[in-house]
Amino acid sequence: MTFLTQLLNGLQLGSIYALVALGYTMVYGIILLLNFAHGDIIMVGAYISWIVMAKLGMSPALAVVLSVAGCTLLGVLIDKVAYAPLRNAPRLSILITAIGVSYFLENGAQLVFGADAKVVPAFISTSTIKVGGVSLSLNAIITIIVTAVCTVVLQLLVQKTKLGKAMRAVSEDMGAARLMGINVNTTISFTFALGSALAGIGAVLYSMAYSQATPTMGIMLGTKAFVAAVLGGIGSIPGAVIGGLLVGFAEVFVSALGLSVWKDAVVFLLLIIVLVVKPTGILGRTMNEKV
Amino acid sequence: MSNNISRRDLFKVSGATAVGISLSSLLAACGGSSSDSAISGKTLKVGLMGPYSGDVAQYGLAVRNGAKLYFKQFNKKGGTSTGKKISLIVQDEKGDATEAVNVYQKMAESNVVAVLGDVTSTPSIAVAQEAVKDNMPLVSASATAADFIKYGKNAFRACYTDPYQGKLMADFAAKKGYKTLCTIYNSGGDYEKGVNDAFVKEAKKKGLKIATQESYSAGDVDFKAQLANIIAKKPDAVLSPNYYQDDGKIVTQARQLGYTGVFLGADGWANIVGGDEDYASGKDLEGCFYDTSFVSANTDKSVQQFIKDYKAEYNADPTNFCALGYDAAMILCDAINKVEKAGKAKTYKDYKQAVIDAIAKGTVKGVTGTIKYEGTGDPVKSTLIIGFKDGKEYIETTM
């Protein structure tokens, strides 16, 4: 019974990591940018939920909508302001810009909201359901279902739609895609919107599970999700999910064994092992470096 | 509670001590004997030190506000029974051990009869090491580090220590009839670990079963793995001796996993509800208990009077640190008054010894409980056990 609970805990934590990792993977897949501000977009999403519910007293449903919309807008805005002007600059410049955006969001949030944790009210009133004598967290079940649905929708979108085809084309060769009549800038913006919308959903699920928003909450979450994305093979959608679940399970089982102090070490060790054995990650394809 | 803040400065202690030793030997070389005039005038000088700027200023300012309020009231009522007033020398040590020793030296040079300080643990230890050489009466409102009172009989504290709280909560658990207990604590925090270890030790002594001790690291947000282990042991109560932000998450997540039992906490819980934010819902906290020395829900007349006076003076609600500062000042004034009344101490040196003896023997009814000392600088004081009922805090019992 405890094992079952731990399994569910691992699935829930892993699902959140997976959702965040999807955002990393999408953006990396298309412009080869490690968007370090991704974790901080989630932080902003959590604060939006807090403002809508705790400050304005509006409904949780509205908080979900506004958080996802807010994150999407923020993601596109960041791309337009910080990354788009550097589209043809060396990749290192844009990477450093991403770090700058990350710091800007963290310190901005601290300036506006203060360093203290803000408590995000509960999205749903009943927190547990009983199934055959076992208490299951409703939050956990919702988180797992939402992540599963998001992954399937995303996969369909990328593989089956015209926009998805455009994304894949831009990802393979930006110049050639442009020559084929694909609007590269719109495609990239759409990717950022999609990744940030996922971050918004992640923010809601994170707030549901941990109920507190702090300016620095995105740092570790982002780092872990980045590890998950690399573990699964960055650029690959199923890979991000597998990576996220692996990291989530690893953390929960290490903590369950009473070794919580070693939790982060185990996650990063996992990353090192995978990178040594299979440098492109579990589902990664070999990239031909453009010289 | 304060050691958590100051331990990052631990390395500074050794440096501060070295500076302190060289300074005090210099002082000894040129020390005079004109100091006896310090006790014959119309006013008696008392030093008040703490961090009033820097990272831990919030604690220093809280203690200073509380202490200054008491000294003001004491003087307003006419001072000592011999009509002497207390004049304060207030100085900022910026939360730094080296600075704290310098500030102390300056105070000792101006022949204060006692020092109220320091606030956080690391500078407090540095000051205690210096003050013992002068046999200076030293009362700290909030230094919880065990070592603070180790150097001599001249140092006292108004707060209780981390292990004391752990032992107290174990006694409370035994009194409540809880048989199986579990704990979950931040293994990287001195405060959390101090309370946890003392709790476990005392619980075992009382014949209670500690089914599991789960730990986590600072910054963790997901406690479900550890909580699932705890719930599987079917405990009567779970100790969570952490700071309120973590405690709030632990309680909420445990309820999500279906745990309906009791949580026990220490004074780190003091802000879990009622402040700017509620860190757990009233429903989830129902039936939980924690210990603290000061709570504004206390209907005791002197406590309510203190809250009223404090609000009138500073236009803010007093915290635990303000109350401890107030009590530390009360302990000092009570002792000085007794020495004045006896009138036996004729020299500065004897006067300081007399103040130390008076503190050691006295009993003071403060706003954080009745405080007395039994042979050490650790107070023996009554402690409040706070419970949650219908989303509100109430005083379950006094221990």
Side-chain angles (χ1 to χ4, degrees), chain A:
Chain A
M1 196 177 102
T2 314
F3 183 74
L4 196 74
T5 319
Q6 300 291 27
L7 210 64
L8 195 67
N9 289 342
L11 260 176
Q12 182 185 9
L13 189 61
S15 295
I16 294 177
Y17 285 145
L19 213 52
V20 184
L22 281 173
Y24 264 108
T25 261
M26 297 278 297
V27 171
Y28 182 85
I30 199 151
I31 52 168
L32 300 180
L33 162 71
L34 294 173
N35 185 10
F36 280 113
H38 194 64
D40 302 296
I41 294 177
I42 294 169
M43 177 268 297
V44 174
Y47 274 107
I48 295 176
S49 288
W50 171 74
I51 291 172
V52 172
M53 286 197 285
K55 285 279 136 181
L56 306 176
M58 291 198 252
S59 74
L62 199 63
V64 174
V65 172
L66 288 179
S67 293
V68 176
C71 285
T72 309
L73 270 178
L74 181 67
V76 175
L77 189 74
I78 290 172
D79 176 49
K80 287 277 174 252
V81 173
Y83 304 149
L86 294 170
R87 208 69 91 200
N88 298 316
R91 261 163 61 194
L92 196 61
S93 314
I94 194 165
L95 188 75
I96 290 166
T97 311
I99 296 172
V101 171
S102 165
Y103 275 111
F104 174 77
L105 290 177
E106 281 158 26
N107 291 303
Q110 190 157 343
L111 202 67
V112 177
F113 302 112
D116 273 350
K118 300 292 180 206
V119 178
V120 183
F123 284 85
I124 46 173
S125 49
T126 39
S127 55
T128 52
I129 49 168
K130 288 248 178 202
V131 180
V134 187
S135 289
L136 296 177
S137 160
L138 200 57
N139 279 340
I141 295 166
I142 292 175
T143 304
I144 295 160
I145 293 173
V146 168
T147 304
V149 170
C150 284
T151 312
V152 172
V153 169
L154 203 62
Q155 186 72 347
L156 286 177
L157 197 124
V158 172
Q159 298 300 336
K160 304 281 179 202
T161 65
K162 214 166 181 188
L163 207 55
K165 209 177 218 174
M167 283 164 75
R168 279 181 290 146
V170 172
S171 141
E172 233 156 68
D173 193 323
M174 213 182 276
R178 191 174 283 129
L179 289 175
M180 293 298 129
I182 294 171
N183 189 336
V184 171
N185 268 330
T186 313
T187 310
I188 291 174
S189 287
F190 179 72
T191 310
F192 266 96
L194 210 56
S196 305
L198 288 172
I201 297 170
V204 170
L205 295 176
Y206 183 95
S207 308
M208 266 170 89
Y210 309 119
S211 71
Q212 286 181 17
T214 58
T216 51
M217 63 184 261
I219 301 176
M220 208 47 183
L221 182 63
T223 312
K224 292 276 176 63
F226 173 58
V227 169
V230 174
L231 209 57
I234 197 150
S236 154
I237 289 172
V241 176
I242 290 172
L245 291 178
L246 260 178
V247 172
F249 279 127
E251 286 199 356
V252 166
F253 283 105
V254 169
S255 296
L257 290 172
L259 301 168
S260 63
V261 182
W262 291 91
K263 194 181 65 188
D264 294 347
V266 168
V267 170
F268 292 113
L269 190 70
L270 207 64
L271 176 71
I272 293 170
I273 292 171
V274 168
L275 287 185
V276 167
V277 177
K278 198 168 183 305
T280 50
I282 295 168
L283 293 184
R285 59 206 157 112
T286 325
M287 293 258 187
N288 298 317
E289 274 297 320
K290 282 177 258 183
V291 185

Side-chain angles (χ1 to χ4, degrees), chain B residues 90-113:
Chain B
V90 186
Q91 249 168 33
D92 181 14
E93 45 84 322
K94 303 180 181 76
D96 180 88
T98 313
E99 195 73 29
V101 169
N102 289 341
V103 165
Y104 169 76
Q105 296 287 0
K106 266 190 244 165
M107 287 178 173
E109 268 177 67
S110 37
N111 295 324
V112 293
V113 296

